[in-house]
Each structure stands twice: as C-alpha cells, then as structure tokens.
C-alpha cells in the first residue's frame, strides 16, 4: 500500500463533488459571491439549463489581479477576517466554490476594482490557460462553460436542460427572496425570465410566489424567546402536490433544513392531507450564537442550539395564524368552494361536465334471476336516502342552512338563505369529533367508556411496544390500554366520543401512527395526531343513512366549531352553490 498526497487539481475535483452537484449549485455559489461582494445589480445568463453556459455579472467590489489568483486557490477567502466561525454574516466562508467549479469546467473570470483596469483569468478544468487585460465595468463577471464535460460520472446524473433550468430558477428565486434590496435579471436561452427591482421582502416574495397567494395566504409575524419569524404561508385549502414552493431562510440564508421543513408540516398537520404541501416563504431570525451554519458543504443546512425552541416557534406561530384565519372564514364561504362551483366555462362545457350516472347499464340477465334484484337494489342505494323536508317559504338564517335530504347516504343537502349547501357527512363529522376531543382535552376531562368485557387485541410485538410506551398519552385521551403478553394489548376503556368502535382496527392504526411519529414530537402534537386517528374511527361513515334531525344537529355543530370547514386531511367539508351560480347553471343569467 502506498499512501500519497493528492495533487491539488484532484483535491479540487473531489471537493467539487460536494459543492457543485449540478449547474444550479454552481450558479448558487456564484450569485452568493456576487451578493457578498456588495453588488446592487446581478445579471445572470443561462444556456441549456446552465449545461452550456452559466454567466453571472455583478457590479460589486471587484478583485485585483492578485486577489483573482488567490480567489481561485482552495481555502482562500476574504470572508473570515478573524479566524472565527461563530459570527458568519456572509453567504460564503469556505473558500471552496471557485476552485471547485474551475476544476470541472472551462471558467473565465473577469474582474475590475473601481479606479483600476480589468483583468481576465481563464482556467480549463483546473489548468490555467491564460490571462491578460480585460475591459468591463467595475465588478466581476464569471462565465462557466462545458460544466462536467470531463466528468462523465457526474454528467450521467444530470437531468435534461429543462430539469436543470428548473433547479437554476429555484436557486435564483431563493437568493432573490433572501436579498430583496438587490436587483436581479435572469435570462435563459436568450429569453428574459426575471427582472426584479430592489424592493421590500414582502413585495419580492409576492413577485416570486403564486399570485393567488394574495387571496389565499396569511401573513406571519411572531416572536418568542429572542427568535423571530416573518413571512407568508398558504391557507390549508390552497395546497400543492409537491413541496417545491417552500422557501425557508435562517438569518436571510436560504436553507433546506429538515427541522424547519418538519416544523412547517407539523403546523399543518390534520389540516392538510399527507401527500399535499403548503406554500410558504418563512424568514427565521436567530441570534448568531444560537445557530451553526458550518454543517453542510453547500451551506443549505444549519444546526440550532435549541431545536425545540425553533420548532415550537414555527408550529405555534403558524398554528395560531391558521386558526385565526379559519375562524374568520368559518361562517363565510369556503375558500375552495368558489373554485369548485363558479367556473368560467361556457354553458355547453358546463352541461357536458354534468356527470353521468355511476352505475353501468345493467347487463342482460334471464328473467327471474336474483342478479336483477341485486342490481336494482344497488341502484336504489344511490337514490336519496332520507326523507326530504318540504321547502318552506321562510328559511331560518343559519349559515349552513336547513337539511333538506341526503344523497348517496354520503352527502347532506341543505338550503341556506343564500344558496344550496352540500356537506360531506364523514369528513365533517370526523372534524367535529376531533375538535370535541381537543376541547375536552384542553378542559382536562375526556369522558371514557369502560368496556363491560375488556377486549384483547393481538398485534405485532413492535406495535404492542409502541402502544404500551404511549399508554399514558392514550389514557389522557380516554383510551385505557395495558400490555397483555408479548403480542397482545388489553383494552379496558375507549373514549366516549367514539361510541361503539372496531377496537382492533383503531389500535392497529394507532400503532402505525406512533411508528411514523417517532420521538421528535412534543406531547401536544402527539395527542393531536392520535386524536385525529381516533376521530376517524369514531365518525359517521359515508353510506350511513341519517335522520333529518341528525343532519340538522351536524350542521348546527359545524357552525360553532372552529376549523370545521375542512376535514382532518385538508379537503373542504362543505360547499355552497349560491343562487347566482344556480341561475348561471340554468342559463337564467
Ligand atoms: N463576484 C465576486 N466579487 C468579488 N470577490 C469575489 C467574487 N467571487 C469571489 N470573490 C472572492 O473570492 C473568494 C473565494 O470565493 P469562493 O471560492 O466562493 O469562497 P468563499 O465565498 O467561501 O469565500 C471570496 O472570498 C471573495 O473574496
Ligand atoms: Mg463563495
């Protein structure tokens, strides 16, 4: 075995593996350098998603020829004047980006300080190929071409120019949000994509996020124990299938930190389905000594001295804002409802969208066969199930109206003063049970229903372990359990709010919940989570026929229950079709 010191060119290429994963990461480093240099305007040009060209031109401090040489050396930086790593205010501090990028591309560095001439240095895959005078305005301009051309292993992992472009745009957006006081111009394949003037942070965020956040967003501004949080998040009903519109910053540094992403999820838990994601731009300010930024080569993760305080601020702050917003809209029309009902579609399109009956045309069967009876019965299952109330002239002024009937044993149809209301009975009831449990918990008293005969539930041993470990918390929710052998749990009492329930199914679901939650959650959050699972088991199913009195009771309870406008998965629990919309549907308008 012979150990050798690696040549610096190879060292740089190894570092490049961490720092420049793809064009977007090179672009990010270059824009960060431009920001650190105090630029007022940054111009970015990309060709083919940055695979052919990344150019970043700034009007910052510039560098002298000597400084340019140093800048291209590994571990050379102007950003750590006093050898400390604990008060870093600049984006950069590792002195790695330029040499790393230069080792895997053809890099041209032009720079000029005020009052002097410009200079150019050209490096090809880590080897200096020439230098000389250059003419440019004060500042720095860097061109990166043929990135990864000689690193086939890396090239294989790159996406199409489209995909790389998307990542580049994302990187620019994050930095542009971090520094709203700087002007940004972005061109891709000769097309102007962004042109951002210096402005305030909220204005910059508004320019870069979905315009609909205007109506569907909530402003955040809170503080606790010296930590501050500002920004904007979407209402739970305004969500996305991907978590790609979440912009998080710690002391104005864009991060993709697991803790922060998890806290954001935590705030929306039981307001939004698990596979849906809120939109957010959140700016966290933390005293410098409370956070370590030197934990990741690309500087996108940080470490907090007190992670629980950070999580608490985010979950608590967002939760309070979301609750307040939902209270306001509880008796108003659902945010999602107009989207479902009012469309700009033409009359013809609307008519053609009217769904055809779900049941297929019955197959031909010999007369007298029981199959016919079955199919006929199936048809009736979908007919209105409850007796309709006769329409009366005077409609009492309930926001959700008076129940008029039930459709498909799943939806309650009600008449309100200003239109027709349709309620998803399971979704709505599930929410009510959850809120009831939560209120009882806050009041300190959850009624429990002792079982006449304690029930023994058999589960996997690890599931039993989890249930046993959580037995105190479950007890607080009215679910009394006890270990009963390696693979069984004894259930002595269930929450009264639940009524008669499938105890085995409930415990199996709870074990799965607990497995997923792991250890990182506060007791409060765990209780919330477990309550949601219990609520789901205790609520009226779709398919259950309700009496008119039951339906009205459900509507009245919804009106006075916070957050009842959406189910535990973030879908609306009811929609309203206003009189005007009805008239439109029938062409009366
Ligand atoms: N656009 C720029 N304008 C002025 N100076 C720059 C610019 N880009 C890089 N530099 C100088 O080059 C040095 C090395 O840059 P880099 O390799 O990115 O490391 P770091 O940013 O961590 O210091 C920086 O510390 C800075 O002094
Ligand atoms: Mg840098």
């Amino acid at each position: 075995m012979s150990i050798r010191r690696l040549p610096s060119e190879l060292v740089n290429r190894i570092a490049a593996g961490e720092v420049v994963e793809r064009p977007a990461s090179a672009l990010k480093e270059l824009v960060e350098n431009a920001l650190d240099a105090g630029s007022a305007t940054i111009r970015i040009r990309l060709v083919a998603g940055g695979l052919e060209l990344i150019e970043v031109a700034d009007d910052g401090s510039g560098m002298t020829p000597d400084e340019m040489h140093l800048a291209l050396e590994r571990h050379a930086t102007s950003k750590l004047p006093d050898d400390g790593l604990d008060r870093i205010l600049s984006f950069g501090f590792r002195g790695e980006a330029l040499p790393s990028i230069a080792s895997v591309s053809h890099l041209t560095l032009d720079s000029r300080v005020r009052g002097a001439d410009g200079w150019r240095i050209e490096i090809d895959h880590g080897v200096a190929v020439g230098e000389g005078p250059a003419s440019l305005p004060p500042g720095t301009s860097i061109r990166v071409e043929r990135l990864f051309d000689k690193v086939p292993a890396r090239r294989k992992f790159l996406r199409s120019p489209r995909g790389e472009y998307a990542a580049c745009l994302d990187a620019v957006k994050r930095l542009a949000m971090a520094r709203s006081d700087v002007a940004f111009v972005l061109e891709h394949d000769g097309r102007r994509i962004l042109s951002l003037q210096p402005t305030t942070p909220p204005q910059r965020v508004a320019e870069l996020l979905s315009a609909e956040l205007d109506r569907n967003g909530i402003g955040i501004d809170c503080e606790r124990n010296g930590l501050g949080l500002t920004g904007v998040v979407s209402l739970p009903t305004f969500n996305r299938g991907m978590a790609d519109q979440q912009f998080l910053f710690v002391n104005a540094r864009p991060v993709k930190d697991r803790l922060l992403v998890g806290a954001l999820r935590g705030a929306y838990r039981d307001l939004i389905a698990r596979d849906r994601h809120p939109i957010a731009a959140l700016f966290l300010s933390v005293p410098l000594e409370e956070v370590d930024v030197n934990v990741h080569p690309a500087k996108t993760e940080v470490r907090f001295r007190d992670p629980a305080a950070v999580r608490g601020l985010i979950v608590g702050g967002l939760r309070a804002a979301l609750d307040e917003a939902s209270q306001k809209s509880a008796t108003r029309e659902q945010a999602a409802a107009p989207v479902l009902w009012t469309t700009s579609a033409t009359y013809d399109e609307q008519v053609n969208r009217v769904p055809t009956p779900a049941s297929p045309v019955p197959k031909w069967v010999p007369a007298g066969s029981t199959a016919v009876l079955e199919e006929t019965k199936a048809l009736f299952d979908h007919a209105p199930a409850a007796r309709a109330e006769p329409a009366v002239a005077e409609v009492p002024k309930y926001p959700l109206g008076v129940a008029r009937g039930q459709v498909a044993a799943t939806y309650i149809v009600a008449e309100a003063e200003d239109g027709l209301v349709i309620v998803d009975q399971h979704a709505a009831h599930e929410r009510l049970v959850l809120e009831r449990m939560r209120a009882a918990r806050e009041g300190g008293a959850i009624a429990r229903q002792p079982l006449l005969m304690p029930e023994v539930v058999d589960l996997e041993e690890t599931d039993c372990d989890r249930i046993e470990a959580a037995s105190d918390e479950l007890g607080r929710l009215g679910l009394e359990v006890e270990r009963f052998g390696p693979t069984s749990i004894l259930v002595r009492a269930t929450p009264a709010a639940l009524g008669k329930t499938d105890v085995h199914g409930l415990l199996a679901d709870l074990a799965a919940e607990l497995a997923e939650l792991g250890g990182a959650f506060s007791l409060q959050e765990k209780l919330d989570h477990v309550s949601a699972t219990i609520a789901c088991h205790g609520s009226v199913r779709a398919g259950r026929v309700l009496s008119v009195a039951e339906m009205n009771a459900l509507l009245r309870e919804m009106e006075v229950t916070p957050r009842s406008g959406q189910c535990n998965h973030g879908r609306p629990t009811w929609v309203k079709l206003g009189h005007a919309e009805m008239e439109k549907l029938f062409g009366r308008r």
Side-chain angles (χ1 to χ4, degrees):
M1 180 176 74
S2 64
I3 300 179
R4 65 167 183 144
R5 289 219 157 76
L6 299 176
S8 68
E9 200 195 310
L10 193 53
V11 172
N12 286 336
R13 241 197 289 157
I14 291 171
E18 297 183 315
V19 184
V20 278
E21 227 183 327
R22 57 194 299 190
S25 34
L27 173 62
K28 165 185 166 296
E29 295 292 337
L30 297 177
V31 175
E32 286 185 353
N33 281 346
L35 289 169
D36 283 343
S39 309
T41 300
I42 299 176
R43 296 173 190 281
I44 302 157
R45 255 173 11 104
L46 303 172
V47 176
L51 294 166
E52 277 176 36
L53 171 75
I54 302 170
E55 185 182 270
V56 176
D58 67 51
D59 57 357
S61 64
M63 288 174 272
T64 64
D66 283 350
E67 288 171 335
M68 290 166 74
H69 280 286
L70 260 182
L72 288 162
E73 264 175 42
R74 193 163 158 73
H75 301 315
T77 178
S78 57
K79 301 170 192 175
L80 295 177
D82 58 4
D83 290 356
L85 276 177
D86 43 4
R87 304 199 64 82
I88 293 170
L89 289 166
S90 51
F91 286 110
F93 55 86
R94 300 170 60 101
E96 282 187 318
L98 284 186
S100 300
I101 297 169
S103 73
V104 290
S105 70
H106 186 98
L107 183 142
T108 311
L109 171 60
D110 289 4
S111 199
R112 179 182 156 195
V113 295
R114 270 160 198 80
D117 290 331
W119 195 252
R120 162 174 298 181
I121 300 181
E122 237 178 292
I123 310 250
D124 188 62
H125 294 85
V127 182
V129 290
E131 60 183 297
S135 92
L136 74 159
T140 302
S141 168
I142 301 187
R143 293 169 64 87
V144 176
E145 289 158 289
R146 306 203 288 280
L147 187 64
F148 302 130
D149 249 15
K150 294 193 181 163
V151 196
R154 179 66 62 168
R155 257 208 115 86
K156 259 192 270 167
F157 287 97
L158 295 180
R159 309 245 189 91
S160 63
R162 280 255 118 234
E164 294 304 329
Y165 163 64
C168 287
L169 180 60
D170 180 72
V172 174
K173 281 187 181 174
R174 286 176 197 274
L175 286 163
M177 283 188 203
R179 289 294 302 273
S180 61
D181 56 325
V182 174
F184 286 82
V185 178
L186 170 65
E187 259 179 38
H188 181 230
D189 289 343
R191 240 170 22 100
R192 175 71 58 97
I193 308 291
L194 292 176
S195 177
L196 303 167
Q197 291 308 307
T199 180
T200 59
Q203 188 56 40
R204 177 64 60 86
V205 166
E207 282 172 53
L208 291 173
L209 281 182
S210 159
E212 286 169 73
L213 217 55
D214 260 9
R215 282 188 303 116
N216 295 296
I218 313 168
I220 303 294
D221 189 352
C222 54
E223 221 190 298
R224 199 190 284 173
N225 303 332
L227 307 177
L229 185 71
T230 59
V232 59
V233 296
S234 61
L235 287 170
T237 38
F238 191 65
N239 52 45
R240 289 174 64 79
M242 284 204 305
D244 60 342
Q245 297 284 311
Q246 301 181 349
F247 299 88
L248 306 173
F249 304 86
V250 175
N251 294 341
R253 179 188 301 277
V255 294
K256 296 193 171 164
D257 195 76
R258 293 247 302 279
L259 175 88
L260 301 185
V261 172
L264 179 61
R265 275 221 78 76
Y268 280 81
R269 226 192 34 60
D270 85 19
L271 292 175
I272 202 166
R274 242 172 248 181
D275 56 348
R276 305 295 300 176
H277 307 273
I279 298 171
L282 287 173
F283 298 84
L284 183 69
S285 52
V286 184
L288 289 183
E289 58 276 14
E290 298 275 309
V291 55
D292 184 358
V293 295
N294 183 32
V295 294
H296 189 266
K299 302 159 291 179
T300 52
E301 284 169 27
V302 293
R303 191 178 295 132
F304 297 101
R305 203 180 54 75
D306 187 357
V310 171
R311 189 181 163 88
L313 174 70
I314 297 177
V315 175
L318 297 194
R319 200 67 199 193
L322 290 170
D323 280 356
E324 193 182 320
S326 92
Q327 218 94 45
K328 269 191 226 146
S329 66
T331 49
R332 259 197 287 131
E333 214 161 310
Q334 266 292 300
V339 183
L340 288 172
W341 288 106
T342 42
T343 79
S344 52
T346 63
Y347 176 70
D348 274 354
E349 281 167 339
Q350 299 228 3
V351 169
N352 289 331
R353 270 194 310 131
V354 170
T356 45
S359 32
V361 180
K363 290 184 300 289
W364 185 85
V365 276
S369 153
T370 53
V372 175
L373 280 178
E374 286 309 318
E375 297 218 11
T376 324
K377 254 186 35 214
L379 273 178
F380 276 103
D381 277 350
H382 289 281
R387 184 173 49 88
E389 286 282 278
V392 286
E394 185 113 343
V395 180
K397 286 188 177 46
Y398 293 121
L400 293 181
V402 185
R404 293 284 179 230
Q406 195 186 18
V407 176
T410 299
Y411 303 101
I412 298 168
V413 178
E415 183 183 1
E417 210 184 10
D418 52 348
L420 173 75
V421 175
I422 302 181
V423 176
D424 177 333
Q425 67 189 41
H426 172 67
H429 193 238
E430 193 181 23
R431 186 79 209 181
L432 295 180
V433 173
L434 174 65
E435 293 297 338
R436 240 185 263 158
M437 290 186 62
R438 189 180 276 160
R441 221 168 69 215
E442 274 157 18
I446 285 220
R448 60 190 63 198
Q449 175 78 57
L451 301 180
L452 285 177
M453 285 281 289
E455 200 163 322
V456 178
V457 174
D458 292 322
L459 294 169
E460 299 260 314
E461 186 161 1
T462 48
D463 285 345
C464 290
D465 291 345
R466 290 191 184 102
I467 299 265
E468 187 185 9
S471 59
D472 279 356
E473 284 135 56
L474 296 175
R476 235 173 278 209
L477 297 170
L479 184 64
E480 233 172 81
V481 293
E482 220 170 85
R483 187 68 176 248
F484 195 70
T487 59
S488 336
I489 296 281
L490 189 70
V491 182
R492 293 193 176 279
T494 57
L498 218 53
K500 212 172 138 43
T501 190
D502 159 26
V503 178
H504 181 273
L506 173 62
L507 255 61
D509 281 4
L510 283 176
E513 278 307 320
L514 292 167
E516 197 180 305
L517 286 174
F521 287 76
S522 67
L523 175 63
Q524 178 64 32
E525 279 182 276
K526 266 199 194 140
L527 291 178
D528 270 353
H529 217 114
V530 168
S531 311
T533 304
I534 294 178
C536 181
H537 276 264
S539 43
V540 290
R541 300 272 133 201
R544 205 184 103 194
V545 176
L546 299 177
S547 73
V548 172
E550 281 177 311
M551 290 190 268
N552 277 321
L554 190 79
L555 295 175
R556 299 294 81 79
E557 191 174 349
M558 284 173 72
E559 282 158 1
V560 297
T561 303
R563 294 173 289 260
S564 65
Q566 47 182 204
C567 75
N568 299 347
H569 315 287
R571 292 185 296 275
T573 53
W574 58 275
V575 293
K576 185 180 273 180
L577 182 57
H579 290 151
E581 274 95 33
M582 284 200 242
E583 283 171 8
K584 242 192 263 165
L585 276 176
F586 291 102
R588 282 170 174 265
R589 272 201 175 189

